[in-house]
Structures are given as C-alpha cells and as structure tokens.
Amino acid sequence: MMSGNSPDFTERLRAAGLRPTRQRVALARVLFEGGHRHVTAESLHAEVKATRMPVSLATVYNALNQFRDAGLLREVVVAPGRSYFDTNTGHHHHFYVEPDGELHDFPSDKVTIAGLPSPPKGTRLSRVDVIVRVHR
Amino acid sequence: MMSGNSPDFTERLRAAGLRPTRQRVALARVLFEGGHRHVTAESLHAEVKATRMPVSLATVYNALNQFRDAGLLREVVVAPGRSYFDTNTGHHHHFYVEPDGELHDFPSDKVTIAGLPSPPKGTRLSRVDVIVRVHR
DNA sequence: GCATCTTTTAGAATAGTTCTAATCTGCTTG
DNA sequence: CAAGCAGATTAGAACTATTCTAAAAGATGC
C-alpha cells in the first residue's frame, strides 16, 4: 500500500523505466513539483538534503544522468566544467548570463532559424541549440 | 636582430599585447599557420611537443586563455568537461558530432535567426551561439 | 650587461564527475 | 509475509580537466 504522499512521482518514474526509490522520488519531487528549473548536481544535492532526506552526491549524479537518458531532463552545456540540467524538455533555447552562470529559458515558438546547412555526410540531425550569451 | 623565421607571429602577439616568448610563438605557429583549427589544451600540447619545442601543459592552458582574452581564439563549449578553442574568430556556428566530439564550423552568412527575444533587463547581448548536434 | 618585471615550469591543488565494492532496499515469488 | 535477488545507494577512492604556487628562466629597457 502506498502513502498517497506523491503517487505522481512514483508513477512518473515507473513510466520512465526507473524504480521509484526513496531517493529518486525525493529528487523528482524537488525537480518537478514546481515550475521549470535549472539545476546542477551540487545545487540539487543541497536542495534535497534540506528536505531531510539523506541522498549522497553520487546518487544525485546517477539520478540526473538516468533522468536525462529517460527524457525527463535535458542537459544544457553552456560553460566549461559545469553541467546544467533543465526540467523543461520541450523545444526552447537559452539565455546565459555571464559571468554569473545564470540560465533562462525562452520559447522557440517565435524563433525561426533559416539557412542551416545540411548535416555532414553520414550523420543525422539530433538537436539545434541556440545559446544567447549576454553580460551585464 | 631577428631570425626571420616567423616575424608574423611575433608581431601578431605583440599587437595583441602579449610578449612573443618562444613558447607563445611556437603555439601561435601551430595554431595559426594553416587553415582554421579546433584544438583542446591536450591536443595542442601534443602537437607543439612534436615540434620539439618544450612547452608545459600549464603554459598551453595559460596561452589558450590569454589568446582567447586577446581575441585571437574563440572558446566553444559543446560538451561538459572539455573546452575547445577555435582559431576562427569570425561569425560562424558549429556542427557537433556526438559522441565522437568532432567539431565543424559552418559560416553564418546564410543563416538567419529571427524572433529572438530581447536580453533580460540589465544585460547586453554578447554573442549568439548555434550548435547543431548530429549523430551517426 | 644588469635590473626588473614577466613568463614558464613541475608539481601540488582544486573542481566536477565517475567508479568501486560493500551494504541496503524494492519488488517478486512461494 | 519471509526469503531471495536484482538493482540502487553509499562513502570514499579515483579520475579528468584545469588552475595555482613558488622557484627558476627569460624578455625588455637602460
């Protein structure tokens, strides 16, 4: 019998092919229960620890990678030596504020990109990332 | 009296406000004497060592950062945990072949991006990066 | 050629991430 | 609902990329 505390996350994880362990459910709750978020492994670790559920940093890394592989998260590469994960997996692009490291989504609805060359021979398009870098 | 061996690089470095030391000249030669290139610190280190000019890895890192700050190189962030430097500092974008890590330039002449939102309040546009991710 | 300020260097240090091997937990079965 | 098993978690070690440190070497101005 389940607690009724967060059946949504339990189900969502199961649907993604991941066992709904305490840690993964706790992480999913932090990640997905509000609006869209950008996190790093460190920031997520700090947040989940604040909920008094003990989760190791290794588990945070494991979970982020699994969530990304399962399509629950999208990894955004904007700066060397730091990975951001975005809970918004839909089509959109990013503002990156240097040097703070702040990241903001913007929808791709209104953005049109024309004239892109076709992929190199033997390759298929996988994604087009647009990063608008701004500074203060 | 100068050797006449590579006055171009010596001058180019001086013009960029950098003392033309042996190491920096050797690195500049490897980087700039052919066509446009993409390098990592490690790959550049291997190349310059092959020219029999001893240069430490720390110096390669220093030089890459200085060259980038001086506008001689552009840093391209495509994958977590690895920095690429591009000798092409003009307007252009990139194909990134996953999972090999291969990077190819393409000119931005024919590419038009319309409908980008304006930068967040208090910030100014610094650059728009387009990364076209492809796989085999 | 000397003095000075910059650069280089080897190696240590740091940051972010992954790995290892032991322990634990969720799920299935009887 | 106990037992068993596969998969998950953990602390800490290991690893990779990069930066730092302090000492030695080199470039430049006089």
Side-chain angles (χ1 to χ4, degrees), chain A residues 63-78:
Chain A
L64 284 172
N65 290 332
Q66 293 152 350
F67 288 10
R68 176 204 54 214
D69 293 347
L72 266 35
L73 289 177
R74 168 168 156 186
E75 190 168 8
V76 185
V77 183
V78 278

PDB file of all heavy atoms in Angstrom, chain A residues 63-78:
ATOM      1  N   ALA A  63      21.211   9.838 -10.649  1.00  0.00           N
ATOM      2  CA  ALA A  63      19.816  10.146 -10.967  1.00  0.00           C
ATOM      3  C   ALA A  63      19.721  11.165 -12.104  1.00  0.00           C
ATOM      4  O   ALA A  63      18.913  10.999 -13.025  1.00  0.00           O
ATOM      5  CB  ALA A  63      19.091  10.656  -9.730  1.00  0.00           C
ATOM      6  N   LEU A  64      20.544  12.193 -12.057  1.00  0.00           N
ATOM      7  CA  LEU A  64      20.491  13.196 -13.123  1.00  0.00           C
ATOM      8  C   LEU A  64      20.775  12.551 -14.475  1.00  0.00           C
ATOM      9  O   LEU A  64      20.084  12.813 -15.460  1.00  0.00           O
ATOM     10  CB  LEU A  64      21.486  14.328 -12.848  1.00  0.00           C
ATOM     11  CG  LEU A  64      21.075  15.332 -11.768  1.00  0.00           C
ATOM     12  CD1 LEU A  64      22.215  16.290 -11.451  1.00  0.00           C
ATOM     13  CD2 LEU A  64      19.833  16.115 -12.208  1.00  0.00           C
ATOM     14  N   ASN A  65      21.766  11.698 -14.506  1.00  0.00           N
ATOM     15  CA  ASN A  65      22.089  11.029 -15.772  1.00  0.00           C
ATOM     16  C   ASN A  65      20.971  10.109 -16.234  1.00  0.00           C
ATOM     17  O   ASN A  65      20.649  10.056 -17.424  1.00  0.00           O
ATOM     18  CB  ASN A  65      23.408  10.267 -15.644  1.00  0.00           C
ATOM     19  CG  ASN A  65      24.593  11.217 -15.551  1.00  0.00           C
ATOM     20  OD1 ASN A  65      24.550  12.336 -16.069  1.00  0.00           O
ATOM     21  ND2 ASN A  65      25.651  10.803 -14.879  1.00  0.00           N
ATOM     22  N   GLN A  66      20.381   9.393 -15.277  1.00  0.00           N
ATOM     23  CA  GLN A  66      19.285   8.493 -15.631  1.00  0.00           C
ATOM     24  C   GLN A  66      18.069   9.274 -16.094  1.00  0.00           C
ATOM     25  O   GLN A  66      17.421   8.918 -17.079  1.00  0.00           O
ATOM     26  CB  GLN A  66      18.920   7.621 -14.429  1.00  0.00           C
ATOM     27  CG  GLN A  66      20.010   6.655 -14.054  1.00  0.00           C
ATOM     28  CD  GLN A  66      19.977   6.303 -12.583  1.00  0.00           C
ATOM     29  OE1 GLN A  66      19.255   6.906 -11.781  1.00  0.00           O
ATOM     30  NE2 GLN A  66      20.768   5.293 -12.203  1.00  0.00           N
ATOM     31  N   PHE A  67      17.743  10.334 -15.374  1.00  0.00           N
ATOM     32  CA  PHE A  67      16.588  11.158 -15.743  1.00  0.00           C
ATOM     33  C   PHE A  67      16.794  11.738 -17.147  1.00  0.00           C
ATOM     34  O   PHE A  67      15.877  11.786 -17.953  1.00  0.00           O
ATOM     35  CB  PHE A  67      16.379  12.290 -14.730  1.00  0.00           C
ATOM     36  CG  PHE A  67      15.849  11.843 -13.390  1.00  0.00           C
ATOM     37  CD1 PHE A  67      15.775  10.494 -13.043  1.00  0.00           C
ATOM     38  CD2 PHE A  67      15.427  12.784 -12.452  1.00  0.00           C
ATOM     39  CE1 PHE A  67      15.297  10.090 -11.801  1.00  0.00           C
ATOM     40  CE2 PHE A  67      14.938  12.388 -11.211  1.00  0.00           C
ATOM     41  CZ  PHE A  67      14.871  11.049 -10.874  1.00  0.00           C
ATOM     42  N   ARG A  68      18.007  12.171 -17.401  1.00  0.00           N
ATOM     43  CA  ARG A  68      18.298  12.710 -18.733  1.00  0.00           C
ATOM     44  C   ARG A  68      18.139  11.623 -19.795  1.00  0.00           C
ATOM     45  O   ARG A  68      17.474  11.822 -20.799  1.00  0.00           O
ATOM     46  CB  ARG A  68      19.714  13.274 -18.796  1.00  0.00           C
ATOM     47  CG  ARG A  68      20.088  13.751 -20.206  1.00  0.00           C
ATOM     48  CD  ARG A  68      21.598  13.749 -20.388  1.00  0.00           C
ATOM     49  NE  ARG A  68      22.127  12.440 -20.048  1.00  0.00           N
ATOM     50  CZ  ARG A  68      23.307  12.203 -19.481  1.00  0.00           C
ATOM     51  NH1 ARG A  68      24.116  13.205 -19.200  1.00  0.00           N
ATOM     52  NH2 ARG A  68      23.700  10.978 -19.194  1.00  0.00           N
ATOM     53  N   ASP A  69      18.717  10.447 -19.539  1.00  0.00           N
ATOM     54  CA  ASP A  69      18.611   9.360 -20.511  1.00  0.00           C
ATOM     55  C   ASP A  69      17.168   8.943 -20.737  1.00  0.00           C
ATOM     56  O   ASP A  69      16.805   8.495 -21.820  1.00  0.00           O
ATOM     57  CB  ASP A  69      19.431   8.153 -20.054  1.00  0.00           C
ATOM     58  CG  ASP A  69      20.931   8.446 -20.073  1.00  0.00           C
ATOM     59  OD1 ASP A  69      21.332   9.472 -20.662  1.00  0.00           O
ATOM     60  OD2 ASP A  69      21.698   7.667 -19.488  1.00  0.00           O
ATOM     61  N   ALA A  70      16.359   9.094 -19.701  1.00  0.00           N
ATOM     62  CA  ALA A  70      14.965   8.692 -19.804  1.00  0.00           C
ATOM     63  C   ALA A  70      14.100   9.787 -20.415  1.00  0.00           C
ATOM     64  O   ALA A  70      12.899   9.610 -20.600  1.00  0.00           O
ATOM     65  CB  ALA A  70      14.426   8.320 -18.422  1.00  0.00           C
ATOM     66  N   GLY A  71      14.727  10.940 -20.699  1.00  0.00           N
ATOM     67  CA  GLY A  71      13.969  12.020 -21.321  1.00  0.00           C
ATOM     68  C   GLY A  71      13.220  12.910 -20.341  1.00  0.00           C
ATOM     69  O   GLY A  71      12.426  13.752 -20.739  1.00  0.00           O
ATOM     70  N   LEU A  72      13.487  12.736 -19.063  1.00  0.00           N
ATOM     71  CA  LEU A  72      12.817  13.562 -18.051  1.00  0.00           C
ATOM     72  C   LEU A  72      13.522  14.907 -17.878  1.00  0.00           C
ATOM     73  O   LEU A  72      12.927  15.875 -17.393  1.00  0.00           O
ATOM     74  CB  LEU A  72      12.834  12.825 -16.701  1.00  0.00           C
ATOM     75  CG  LEU A  72      11.635  11.962 -16.300  1.00  0.00           C
ATOM     76  CD1 LEU A  72      11.008  11.272 -17.479  1.00  0.00           C
ATOM     77  CD2 LEU A  72      12.060  10.947 -15.245  1.00  0.00           C
ATOM     78  N   LEU A  73      14.782  14.941 -18.256  1.00  0.00           N
ATOM     79  CA  LEU A  73      15.582  16.155 -18.132  1.00  0.00           C
ATOM     80  C   LEU A  73      16.358  16.364 -19.419  1.00  0.00           C
ATOM     81  O   LEU A  73      16.589  15.430 -20.169  1.00  0.00           O
ATOM     82  CB  LEU A  73      16.614  16.021 -17.006  1.00  0.00           C
ATOM     83  CG  LEU A  73      16.153  16.008 -15.565  1.00  0.00           C
ATOM     84  CD1 LEU A  73      17.353  15.780 -14.667  1.00  0.00           C
ATOM     85  CD2 LEU A  73      15.469  17.318 -15.216  1.00  0.00           C
ATOM     86  N   ARG A  74      16.801  17.581 -19.588  1.00  0.00           N
ATOM     87  CA  ARG A  74      17.650  17.886 -20.720  1.00  0.00           C
ATOM     88  C   ARG A  74      18.931  18.513 -20.181  1.00  0.00           C
ATOM     89  O   ARG A  74      18.892  19.354 -19.297  1.00  0.00           O
ATOM     90  CB  ARG A  74      16.907  18.866 -21.608  1.00  0.00           C
ATOM     91  CG  ARG A  74      17.757  19.478 -22.663  1.00  0.00           C
ATOM     92  CD  ARG A  74      16.854  20.197 -23.649  1.00  0.00           C
ATOM     93  NE  ARG A  74      17.600  21.228 -24.330  1.00  0.00           N
ATOM     94  CZ  ARG A  74      17.062  22.098 -25.168  1.00  0.00           C
ATOM     95  NH1 ARG A  74      15.753  22.057 -25.395  1.00  0.00           N
ATOM     96  NH2 ARG A  74      17.799  23.000 -25.752  1.00  0.00           N
ATOM     97  N   GLU A  75      20.039  18.074 -20.697  1.00  0.00           N
ATOM     98  CA  GLU A  75      21.314  18.618 -20.246  1.00  0.00           C
ATOM     99  C   GLU A  75      21.679  19.809 -21.123  1.00  0.00           C
ATOM    100  O   GLU A  75      21.580  19.751 -22.334  1.00  0.00           O
ATOM    101  CB  GLU A  75      22.402  17.537 -20.332  1.00  0.00           C
ATOM    102  CG  GLU A  75      23.694  17.953 -19.669  1.00  0.00           C
ATOM    103  CD  GLU A  75      24.665  16.778 -19.501  1.00  0.00           C
ATOM    104  OE1 GLU A  75      24.380  15.690 -20.026  1.00  0.00           O
ATOM    105  OE2 GLU A  75      25.695  16.976 -18.825  1.00  0.00           O
ATOM    106  N   VAL A  76      22.112  20.876 -20.470  1.00  0.00           N
ATOM    107  CA  VAL A  76      22.454  22.092 -21.203  1.00  0.00           C
ATOM    108  C   VAL A  76      23.920  22.404 -20.948  1.00  0.00           C
ATOM    109  O   VAL A  76      24.348  22.503 -19.802  1.00  0.00           O
ATOM    110  CB  VAL A  76      21.607  23.284 -20.720  1.00  0.00           C
ATOM    111  CG1 VAL A  76      21.881  24.506 -21.579  1.00  0.00           C
ATOM    112  CG2 VAL A  76      20.132  22.933 -20.736  1.00  0.00           C
ATOM    113  N   VAL A  77      24.677  22.528 -22.008  1.00  0.00           N
ATOM    114  CA  VAL A  77      26.102  22.804 -21.853  1.00  0.00           C
ATOM    115  C   VAL A  77      26.369  24.253 -22.223  1.00  0.00           C
ATOM    116  O   VAL A  77      26.259  24.634 -23.378  1.00  0.00           O
ATOM    117  CB  VAL A  77      26.954  21.885 -22.747  1.00  0.00           C
ATOM    118  CG1 VAL A  77      28.422  22.150 -22.507  1.00  0.00           C
ATOM    119  CG2 VAL A  77      26.624  20.435 -22.475  1.00  0.00           C
ATOM    120  N   VAL A  78      26.668  25.052 -21.248  1.00  0.00           N
ATOM    121  CA  VAL A  78      26.903  26.469 -21.520  1.00  0.00           C
ATOM    122  C   VAL A  78      28.271  26.952 -21.085  1.00  0.00           C
ATOM    123  O   VAL A  78      28.811  27.896 -21.623  1.00  0.00           O
ATOM    124  CB  VAL A  78      25.847  27.368 -20.827  1.00  0.00           C
ATOM    125  CG1 VAL A  78      24.586  27.434 -21.643  1.00  0.00           C
ATOM    126  CG2 VAL A  78      25.585  26.917 -19.413  1.00  0.00           C
TER     127      VAL A  78
END
